[in-house]
Amino acid sequence: MNSLATEVLRLLMVRGETLAVAESLTGGLVAAEITAAPGASKAFRGSVTAYATELKHELLGVDATLLAERGAVDPQVAAQMAAGARKALGADWGIATTGVAGPEPQDGQPVGTVFVAVDGPSQPSFHPAGGGKVLPLRLNGDRAEIRMESVRSVLALLLRELAGEQTGNARAQDTEQNGGF
């Protein structure tokens, strides 16, 4: 999987841009994957692992009413987490993961429900608090498989956004959808 992180970092460095990460269900795995790539410090600003729901609000600025009404496993929460990481860590791009890795459902969502998001310098907003593109996932497998596929998916989403922006081909950003395992 490290080739995804390496390519993301390469594109960020070519562009002179930086990345921040907000993680929930992946618990730091996205940041670990990125920092395993040589030269990561040239583009990676840092990460916030907001595993507890209240930290999503306190550290990342996710709307408290949204969290109270919908819970942490929600596309708008993912979007706001990405925007919050970007703002809190002073990066050009922010990515986020939130979802249910199991073994039990959470917030009324079944195991395997995951939302990954990317927020960047030219992203449209879903909400005044920010948030760019969100990809909903329905993943199969055990807890470890769901978490690792979430890492792969958020990096692939960012890579598509970076590559699509670099080539000016907006259609290329939406051509691949992840079907899980």
Side-chain angles (χ1 to χ4, degrees), residues 46-77:
S47 66
V48 174
T49 301
Y51 209 67
T53 298
E54 67 271 13
L55 293 179
K56 292 170 181 62
H57 170 68
E58 294 168 9
L59 298 176
L60 297 170
V62 176
D63 183 89
T65 303
L66 173 66
L67 288 166
E69 291 176 357
R70 297 192 200 162
V73 183
D74 181 82
Q76 200 168 349
V77 169

Side-chain angles (χ1 to χ4, degrees), residues 17-137:
E17 294 176 338
T18 56
L19 174 64
V21 175
E23 299 186 66
S24 186
L25 86 147
T26 50
L29 292 173
V30 176
E33 188 69 19
I34 292 166
T35 58
S41 62
K42 294 176 185 159
F44 184 61
R45 296 276 302 156
S47 66
V48 174
T49 301
Y51 209 67
T53 298
E54 67 271 13
L55 293 179
K56 292 170 181 62
H57 170 68
E58 294 168 9
L59 298 176
L60 297 170
V62 176
D63 183 89
T65 303
L66 173 66
L67 288 166
E69 291 176 357
R70 297 192 200 162
V73 183
D74 181 82
Q76 200 168 349
V77 169
Q80 289 184 25
M81 286 174 65
R86 184 177 167 216
K87 181 179 179 185
L89 299 174
D92 298 297
W93 292 87
I95 57 176
T97 63
T98 188
V100 185
E104 301 295 324
Q106 179 188 339
D107 296 333
Q109 298 288 344
V111 172
T113 302
V114 175
F115 298 96
V116 297
V118 61
D119 186 72
S122 64
Q123 298 292 310
S125 288
F126 292 159
H127 187 274
K133 188 165 196 164
V134 178
L135 182 63
L137 304 170

Side-chain angles (χ1 to χ4, degrees), residues 2 6 9 13 34-41:
N2 203 291
T6 300
L9 289 167
M13 286 185 265
I34 292 166
T35 58
S41 62

Side-chain angles (χ1 to χ4, degrees), residues 1 4 25-26 29-30 97 112 114 116 135 137-157 160 176-181:
M1 188 177 339
L4 273 174
L25 86 147
T26 50
L29 292 173
V30 176
T97 63
V114 175
V116 297
L135 182 63
L137 304 170
R138 231 20 174 141
L139 303 176
N140 298 314
D142 64 19
R143 182 175 173 78
E145 290 169 326
I146 290 169
R147 293 175 76 214
M148 288 312 297
E149 183 58 22
S150 298
V151 172
R152 192 206 65 75
S153 295
V154 76
L155 290 174
L157 178 62
R160 286 193 303 271
E176 181 185 343
Q177 290 295 319
N178 175 11
F181 286 90

